[in-house]
Amino acid sequence: MTSTTPAPPHSGPDHPATGAVAGRLPWVLVVPAVLGLVFLVLPLAGLLIRAPWPTLPQRLVEPQVLRALRLSLITATLAMAVCLLLGVPLAWLLARVRFPGRRLVRALVTVPLVLPPVVGGVALLLVLGRRGVAGRWLEAAFGVTLPFTTAGVVIAEAFVAMPFLVISVEGALRAADQRFEEAAATLGASRWVVFRRVTLPLVAPGVVAGAVLCWARALGEFGATITFAGNFPGTTQTMPLAVYLALETDPEAAIVLSLVLLAVSVIILATLRDRWVNSP
């Protein structure tokens, strides 16, 4: 009596496991997929085609371009620092502490992701403006006025960018193995020491990814910035605002600034590909 072993499942080109069925492409899905890709890529291609490549080096060193670029880099970096200072503890609170209303707090933290940026700018203006709830007190007590200043740009950018950091760090904290923290606490380490020496190194990749996304979002912020901080060259005019202004007076300068922002976006996506984009 001879025993036979079952033949392994067929893994040829017609088998569903291979993901390809020769000659059976679902055109009802392929056609809209291609149209969707064209819809997303065509505007970017148009930007590249219309770019003033022969004069690009000279355009990049023009005073208004350098001024907007420098201000954007400074304010985006400061906004990222504010988000790190406030967002990392907030993410730790949401991930590790159970308290009443935690879901509501998490929802409130993510509101700037879906809130129109202009509405966020209006909200900041009503709270931190000269007649706002907190702005009136800041001006009376410390002589500090935030709207239409560089500090106002930083606050507006941090407001819209912080959810990216909080979500990234909270996800990293939930995925981290808490046994290392428990072991450190058992050995007598305080909560601050555990957080600084154990927790932060464990979630460092998530913190870095969140900080990079936060910085990129702050760099490209427009609506909240122009509403809360205005559009004053050298003081509050960041690159997105300079693009908006240059469209009416110097379209080529607008294209150059747009190319800089596009390059930053591509670099960010390439850097975080392994974390945020599924590789083939």
Side-chain angles (χ1 to χ4, degrees):
M1 181 176 179
T2 59
S3 60
T4 58
T5 57
H10 181 58
S11 57
D14 292 338
H15 193 268
T18 64
V21 180
R24 295 185 184 178
L25 285 177
W27 293 108
V28 69
L29 298 178
V30 171
V31 171
V34 172
L35 291 176
L37 180 62
V38 171
F39 175 74
L40 294 175
V41 173
L42 192 59
L44 303 180
L47 184 64
L48 295 174
I49 293 171
R50 293 292 302 276
W53 296 110
T55 61
L56 185 62
Q58 293 80 6
R59 287 281 185 177
L60 287 174
V61 296
E62 288 181 354
Q64 64 270 23
V65 174
L66 291 178
R67 187 166 52 239
L69 177 60
R70 180 171 57 251
L71 182 64
S72 293
L73 294 176
I74 292 173
T75 56
T77 303
L78 291 175
M80 182 187 68
V82 172
C83 292
L84 284 170
L85 181 64
L86 303 178
V88 173
L90 179 56
W92 178 87
L93 185 71
L94 292 173
R96 296 295 170 83
V97 180
R98 296 184 177 274
F99 57 90
R102 185 172 63 166
R103 292 185 177 180
L104 176 61
V105 172
R106 183 179 290 111
L108 292 175
V109 168
T110 57
V111 162
L113 289 176
V114 296
L115 189 70
V118 173
V119 177
V122 172
L124 289 172
L125 198 59
L126 293 176
V127 173
L128 298 175
R130 290 185 174 181
R131 298 182 181 180
V133 178
R136 184 183 308 172
W137 174 78
L138 285 174
E139 186 175 8
F142 304 101
V144 175
T145 303
L146 294 175
F148 310 108
T149 64
T150 304
V153 176
V154 174
I155 291 175
E157 292 178 348
F159 175 77
V160 299
M162 188 180 294
F164 291 90
L165 177 72
V166 174
I167 291 174
S168 179
V169 176
E170 184 187 358
L173 283 166
R174 290 183 178 275
D177 192 344
Q178 298 188 39
R179 291 178 296 179
F180 296 103
E181 299 172 82
E182 294 169 357
T186 303
L187 294 174
S190 64
R191 286 192 173 186
W192 168 244
V193 172
V194 172
F195 177 77
R196 182 170 56 90
R197 301 291 296 273
V198 180
T199 306
L200 279 182
L202 282 175
V203 300
V207 174
V208 172
V212 172
L213 286 174
C214 176
W215 183 84
R217 179 65 184 88
L219 189 71
E221 171 51 31
F222 174 82
T225 301
I226 196 172
T227 306
F228 182 63
N231 187 10
F232 302 104
T235 304
T236 65
Q237 189 181 88
T238 57
M239 283 195 292
L241 273 63
V243 171
Y244 176 76
L245 183 64
L247 278 175
E248 298 181 357
T249 58
D250 190 357
E252 287 194 352
I255 295 175
V256 170
L257 287 167
S258 300
L259 284 175
V260 174
L261 292 173
L262 177 61
V264 170
S265 301
V266 172
I267 292 172
I268 295 300
L269 287 177
T271 303
L272 300 180
R273 175 177 174 81
D274 292 337
R275 186 172 184 86
W276 298 101
V277 181
N278 291 328
S279 300

